[in-house]
Amino acid sequence: MLYDISLSITYEYASAANAGRHALRLLPADIQGEQRLVAGRLDVDPAPDERTDRTDFFGNSVTDISYRSAHSEIAFHVHARVDRTAAPVGFDISPPLNMLPHELNSIRSMEAHQPVHFLDHSPRIVLDPEFTGYARSVTDPGMSILAAVETIGETLHRDMTFDATATTVQTTAMEAFQNRHGVCQDFTHIMISCLRGIGIPAGYVSGFLRTIPPEGSERLEGADAMHAWVRAWCGIEIGWVEYDPTNALRVGQDHIVIARGRDYSDISPVKGVMRTSGGQTTEQKVDVVPL
């Protein structure tokens, strides 16, 4: 499936920033066998004094920019064409949960994509008994790993309410879980915490999701937003499977990947520091258009 994607993120500062450095993870990824970046461009306004491109530990594309001069606003614009291939669902040949430690112990590699990096605490993920108890209450040791992943995701979708005003980017997974309200970032962090709590390696995926308007309604330009979902390791035979707990479904052609990491802190779209005072406002617009 071919998509044209446009993204615009703007920041306005109450007081001009006279210096700043930012790491940007905004361009759709190029992933062999899953997703091809046909063409892509990231524009920054005002133009930074320095700009370099690199690849991080997890294989994500990163653009580093820095400013040495004053600026009161900054805007990031992405234009990309992506060819997304849906992974076949196939049969569930994942081992039972009680065999997962044996499978993990057979892996000796420490490469970035290996499950060892996605088992324990990470900057935004805490293995708390409340998450673990929740996950164990809907699974059993004889259940397959894939079935456990889907069951936890479906249960979260049932018990949580999507609420765009309930949390901020700094809200912890536990705060959102206890309130049972949140956005896709919260759903994803909670599910990762639950999965890791019962020994299933899990990570965070950022990207875009094509939204389909109700029948008879026109699609609104700029109405889409950046999205997040879960990546879970389901054993040696199946490997990584991606699941969207916000919508209770396996990830398919409508999900376009930007980056993958342990949690949001690894792959936040805009991350950095600046020298300024006062607050800031931000606005985001996304369009995902199938061709």
Side-chain angles (χ1 to χ4, degrees), residues 55-264:
T55 301
D56 67 15
F57 175 75
F58 294 107
N60 304 306
S61 296
V62 187
T63 298
D64 294 314
I65 63 171
S66 64
Y67 292 95
R68 295 186 295 272
S69 54
H71 54 288
S72 58
E73 61 183 9
I74 187 171
F76 309 111
H77 302 287
V78 170
H79 299 280
R81 177 165 292 180
V82 173
D83 187 2
R84 181 71 161 112
T85 303
V89 175
F91 296 104
D92 181 1
I93 56 173
S94 62
L97 278 172
N98 55 18
M99 290 297 294
L100 182 54
H102 172 74
E103 296 235 339
L104 288 169
N105 287 337
S106 69
I107 298 174
R108 295 289 180 262
S109 173
M110 294 292 290
E111 292 181 354
H113 66 281
Q114 295 295 343
V116 65
H117 302 293
F118 303 87
L119 273 168
D120 211 333
H121 300 278
S122 56
R124 299 292 295 268
I125 301 296
V126 176
L127 304 189
D128 189 280
E130 190 167 345
F131 290 128
T132 302
Y134 181 83
R136 285 179 176 162
S137 71
V138 296
T139 60
D140 63 74
M143 179 182 285
S144 74
I145 301 171
L146 179 57
V149 170
E150 293 182 328
T151 298
I152 291 170
E154 290 166 359
T155 305
L156 271 176
H157 178 76
R158 180 197 69 200
D159 293 346
M160 293 281 296
T161 299
F162 183 88
D163 184 348
T165 65
T167 59
T168 71
V169 71
Q170 299 302 328
T171 301
T172 67
M174 183 56 73
E175 290 171 334
F177 182 62
Q178 291 176 339
N179 292 326
R180 296 297 196 268
H181 282 246
V183 295
C184 59
Q185 175 182 302
D186 305 305
F187 279 71
T188 300
H189 278 152
I190 293 167
M191 185 170 172
I192 291 170
S193 301
C194 290
L195 292 173
R196 291 187 194 174
I198 60 172
I200 300 177
Y204 189 104
V205 187
S206 68
F208 303 107
L209 173 63
R210 177 173 72 116
T211 57
I212 302 172
E215 187 175 353
S217 300
E218 290 188 6
R219 182 179 170 279
L220 300 177
E221 292 186 6
D224 296 332
M226 295 186 72
H227 195 49
W229 57 92
V230 173
R231 194 175 186 229
W233 192 78
C234 295
I236 293 172
E237 290 295 325
I238 292 183
W240 292 99
V241 171
E242 297 189 359
Y243 187 89
D244 181 350
T246 308
N247 297 291
L249 51 81
R250 289 273 293 272
V251 166
Q253 282 187 314
D254 289 337
H255 293 74
I256 297 97
V257 176
I258 293 177
R260 292 165 170 162
R262 296 168 300 169
D263 60 44
Y264 177 83

